[in-house]
Amino acid sequence: MHRKPGKAMTHLHFSPEVKAALADQRPIVALESTLITHGLPYPTNLDTAVAMENAIREAGATPATIAILKGQITVGLTMDQLSMLAEAQNVRKCSRRDLPIAVGLGEDGATTVAGTMIVAHKAGIPVFATGGIGGVHRGQPFDVSADLIELGRTPVAVVCSGAKSILDLPLTLEVLETQGVPIIGLGTDTLPAFYQRSSGLPIDVCVETPAQVAAIIKAAQVLEAKHGILIAVPVPAAEELQEDAEAAIQQATKEAHDLGIVGKRITPYVLGRVAELTEGKSRGANTALLINNARTAASIAIALKN
Ligand code: PSU
Ligand code: MN
C-alpha cells in the first residue's frame, strides 16, 4: 500500500513504552527488523522477536524494535505490528540507501543492521542487539555489506555473535579495521562465528563484564568518536552447533552465484538455503544467541546509565 509522503513521516514515531523510557532516561535497547522479515521463517521469526523483547524487559531495560510502517519510521512496535511484519511478503529490506525510498514512497520496510543504527542514533539510543552483522561475501570481495561502512560512521554499539560463516570472516575483519571499528569480545578474544563460539580469528580485546563494555562506550562518547563499536558475544555453550554447516554454505553460495542472485538478495537467499539444507539444525543456536544478545545488551545499556 502506497501513501503520499507527508512532512510528519520524516519524523520518528515512538511507541508509548519507548517514549516513556526516553523521557525518564531509562535504558533502552534497539532491535532490527530484517531478521524478522528476511532472516528467519514464520512463526520462528515472531516468537524470537517477542522473546528478545521480553528478555530485555526482564533484564530491566526497554526494547525498541525499529521498522518503517507505511513510510513512518517507527521506534518500538506493538504486538500487532510485529505480527504483521512477521507474516508480510515483499517488505523492503532497508539498509542506508533504501531508507529514503521506503519513507518517501510510504512503504513498509524492515531495517538491517545499518538501517537500524541510523534510526537508533537519531532516536538517541546508543545500544543495539542483533544476531549477526553483514560482511564481505565469499568469492565476492566487492560485495561489502553497508553494515560495515555504517559501523565506521554511526556511533552505536552493536551487540552480536560475529557474522555467519556464509561470509568471508577474515576479509570482514579487515574492512572493520579500515573503518576504525573497535571489536570488543565479551568473554572471548576471538571473533565468534555465529553458530560456533569461535572463528579462531583474534579481535582487539577481551573484557569480562558489561560495566567494562559501558566504560569503553563512554570513553568513545567523551572522545566524540563518530564510529560504532562492535560487541562480540559468543552463542551460549549449551546451544553451540556441533557440526559444521560448511558443506551447506558452499552449496548455497554456489547456487546463489549460478542463479545470478546479486546485491541485497544474496544474504536472505543464502540464509534460507542453508537452513533448508541443514534441516533447521542451526535454528536452536540462532534463536538462543539472539535472546542472549538481547539480554546482554540490556545489561550494557543499564551499566551505561550508572
Ligand atoms: N545475518 C544473519 N541474519 C540476518 C542478517 C544477517 O545471520 O537476518 C541480516 C541483517 O539485517 C544484516 C543484513 O544487517 O542481513 C545484511 O544484509 P547485506 O549483506 O545485504 O548488507
Ligand atoms: Mn551483501
Side-chain angles (χ1 to χ4, degrees), residues 3-292:
R3 193 173 82 179
K4 213 169 144 220
K7 190 158 182 278
M9 297 171 68
T10 57
H11 293 112
L12 305 183
H13 174 84
F14 294 97
S15 68
E17 185 187 13
V18 173
K19 193 184 261 180
L22 278 170
D24 300 345
Q25 301 197 18
R26 282 185 273 121
I28 303 174
V29 176
L31 297 170
E32 63 153 304
S33 44
T34 294
L35 74 90
I36 303 174
T37 55
H38 293 73
L40 292 168
Y42 183 82
T44 310
N45 57 354
L46 180 59
D47 294 344
T48 306
V50 171
M52 289 175 79
E53 289 205 345
N54 286 336
I56 291 166
R57 291 190 186 98
E58 279 157 25
T62 299
T65 304
I66 289 171
I68 317 297
L69 300 174
K70 294 194 169 46
Q72 178 74 65
I73 302 173
T74 308
V75 183
L77 303 183
T78 64
M79 189 63 201
D80 282 352
Q81 290 168 334
L82 283 174
S83 301
M84 184 281 288
L85 282 180
E87 291 188 74
Q89 309 289 324
N90 300 319
V91 172
R92 186 180 291 273
K93 175 181 161 186
C94 292
S95 191
R96 173 175 276 272
R97 70 171 184 178
D98 313 282
L99 281 175
I101 300 175
V103 173
L105 297 180
E107 296 178 352
D108 289 333
T111 51
T112 64
V113 169
T116 305
M117 287 180 77
I118 293 168
V119 177
H121 179 54
K122 264 183 173 301
I125 303 173
V127 181
F128 160 29
T130 187
I133 57 164
V136 182
H137 282 276
R138 288 191 189 186
Q140 316 238 18
F142 291 104
D143 183 349
V144 178
S145 172
D147 290 353
L148 305 185
I149 312 304
E150 205 57 51
L151 279 159
R153 63 178 180 192
T154 299
V156 169
V158 180
V159 180
C160 71
S161 299
K164 275 197 181 135
S165 46
I166 60 170
L167 299 165
D168 188 319
L169 299 182
L171 285 187
T172 299
L173 284 182
E174 293 295 341
V175 175
L176 286 169
E177 181 186 359
T178 304
Q179 291 294 323
V181 180
I183 308 179
I184 316 301
L186 184 47
T188 181
D189 56 7
T190 65
L191 182 74
F194 204 81
Y195 303 125
Q196 262 115 18
R197 288 177 58 81
S198 174
S199 65
L201 300 165
I203 53 175
D204 297 315
V205 69
C206 169
V207 299
E208 297 300 333
T209 65
Q212 289 174 300
V213 176
I216 293 170
I217 297 172
K218 277 185 197 162
Q221 289 170 345
V222 170
L223 289 165
E224 297 181 26
K226 303 282 184 279
H227 57 79
I229 297 176
L230 203 64
I231 317 297
V233 180
V235 59
E239 259 85 24
E240 181 176 32
L241 196 67
Q242 291 312 322
E243 63 234 272
D244 209 339
E246 185 57 31
I249 291 165
Q250 294 211 2
Q251 184 180 331
T253 307
K254 184 181 180 306
E255 283 177 15
H257 179 261
D258 292 347
L259 288 166
I261 291 171
V262 293
K264 69 190 215 176
R265 291 177 55 227
I266 294 182
T267 299
Y269 178 83
V270 176
L271 290 180
R273 200 64 189 112
V274 169
E276 272 172 24
L277 293 168
T278 59
E279 288 165 348
K281 270 185 218 139
S282 50
R283 200 142 303 142
N286 202 343
T287 52
L289 69 86
L290 282 163
I291 295 164
N292 186 55

